[in-house]
Structures are given as structure tokens and as C-alpha cells.
């Protein structure tokens, strides 16, 4: 049957990670969380300054680009999701992953410990940052860093 022939022809492409363009697709872009390999965040920050956050990772193939960060600011935790955008009109069949580095910043609203969580597609990294007011003059050190691979 035609379906069996299509599966036989396209199956190896799907298993190898190659993409096949869908000419009937009405969507031009797809958005998804990117692969994160490393996160750089200072361990202390003055309350009147912004916290620089640098993320390094991999784009799935050359049809992807970094699009934006989604920041979720909860009381004692800042969750950061690096979002990529795939151009469905670009044929990147069987291409290797592409490294990316990008940065964002965040201004803590109160002094104290802030857990910064960067959630990538397969890696979640947690860093505890201590934000202190300029009049307190305390010395603070990195409290802890934890990474976890997701299946």
C-alpha cells in the first residue's frame, strides 16, 4: 500500500532526526523550549542593580533561532525558559545542532535569597543568588548550584 511505502521511505528520516517540510502547513513558525548546556549567574547582587543571566545551549538545527526568554517571577524563585523559534520554510534536513549564547537580566525586588531556575528541554539548572541592600554591607557567597538532566 501507499502508506506502507511512505513509512518505509520516511521512517529512516524520522528516526535519524531529519526533518521533512510539510507543504500543506499553514503555520510558518514553531516555538519550543531550547536545549540548555550552561548557565552563568553571579552569586551575589546588590539590590539596586540588575542580575545578568547568560545561557548557552544548542538549537536543534539551523532552521531554529533564539526567540525570547519567558521569565516567571515568584516570591523567592525566578524561573527562566529560553524559547526558540523554528522557521518551517527552512529545510534543515539532517543538520547538526547549532550552539547559541544569549543573555537577559533581572532586577530583584527584595533582599534575600533568590532561586534562579533555568529550564531547558533536557536540563534544569538551579542557582541560589543572594540579593542584598547597599546599606547592609554583608558579604555573601554562592549558596549552591544544582543541575538535573530530564529524560
Amino acid at each position: 500500500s501507499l502508506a506502507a511505502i511512505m513509512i518505509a521511505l520516511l521512517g529512516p528520516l524520522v528516526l535519524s532526526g531529519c526533518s521533512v517540510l510539510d507543504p500543506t502547513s499553514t503555520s510558518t513558525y514553531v516555538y519550543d523550549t531550547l536545549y540548555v548546556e550552561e548557565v552563568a549567574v553571579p552569586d551575589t547582587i546588590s539590590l539596586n542593580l540588575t542580575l545578568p543571566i547568560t545561557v548557552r545551549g544548542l538549537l536543534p538545527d539551523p532552521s531554529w533561532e533564539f526567540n525570547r526568554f519567558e521569565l516567571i517571577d515568584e516570591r523567592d524563585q525566578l524561573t527562566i525558559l529560553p524559547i526558540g523559534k523554528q522557521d518551517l520554510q527552512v529545510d534543515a534536513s539532517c543538520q547538526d545542532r547549532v550552539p547559541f549564547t544569549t543573555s537577559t537580566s533581572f532586577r530583584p525586588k527584595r533582599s534575600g535569597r533568590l532561586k534562579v531556575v533555568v529550564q531547558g528541554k533536557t536540563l534544569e539548572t538551579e542557582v541560589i543568588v543572594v540579593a542584598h541592600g547597599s546599606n547592609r554591607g554583608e558579604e555573601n557567597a554562592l549558596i549552591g548550584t544544582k543541575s538535573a538532566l530530564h529524560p
Side-chain angles (χ1 to χ4, degrees), residues 112-134:
R113 294 181 184 186
L114 174 68
K115 180 166 53 169
V116 178
V117 178
V118 179
Q119 291 182 342
K121 191 170 242 358
T122 58
L123 175 73
E124 178 177 295
T125 300
E126 295 180 6
V127 178
I128 303 296
V129 176
V130 178
H132 55 86
S134 57

Side-chain angles (χ1 to χ4, degrees), residues 135-150:
N135 59 351
R136 292 173 62 182
E138 356 176 23
E139 294 239 354
N140 295 302
L142 177 67
I143 305 301
T145 301
K146 181 174 109 179
S147 295
L149 289 175
H150 296 292

Side-chain angles (χ1 to χ4, degrees), residues 5 13-14 16 22 28-29 41 77 90 95 112-114 120 124 135:
I5 293 171
L13 289 176
V14 173
S16 69
D22 179 4
T28 306
Y29 299 104
V41 180
Q77 178 172 315
V90 173
Q95 297 289 320
R113 294 181 184 186
L114 174 68
E124 178 177 295
N135 59 351

Side-chain angles (χ1 to χ4, degrees), residues 57-128:
L58 295 171
L59 302 171
D61 60 54
S63 68
W64 285 83
E65 64 183 36
F66 174 79
N67 181 257
R68 69 185 183 280
F69 283 110
E70 287 186 8
L71 302 175
I72 303 165
D73 181 14
E74 298 170 331
R75 180 162 170 72
D76 295 323
Q77 178 172 315
L78 173 65
T79 302
I80 302 170
L81 298 135
I83 305 297
K85 175 175 80 170
Q86 180 187 25
D87 185 345
L88 296 175
Q89 303 306 313
V90 173
D91 184 8
S93 302
C94 301
Q95 297 289 320
D96 289 333
R97 292 184 176 171
V98 178
F100 77 92
T101 300
T102 189
S103 299
T104 189
S105 61
F106 176 78
R107 185 181 300 267
K109 296 178 184 147
R110 62 195 151 279
S111 62
R113 294 181 184 186
L114 174 68
K115 180 166 53 169
V116 178
V117 178
V118 179
Q119 291 182 342
K121 191 170 242 358
T122 58
L123 175 73
E124 178 177 295
T125 300
E126 295 180 6
V127 178
I128 303 296

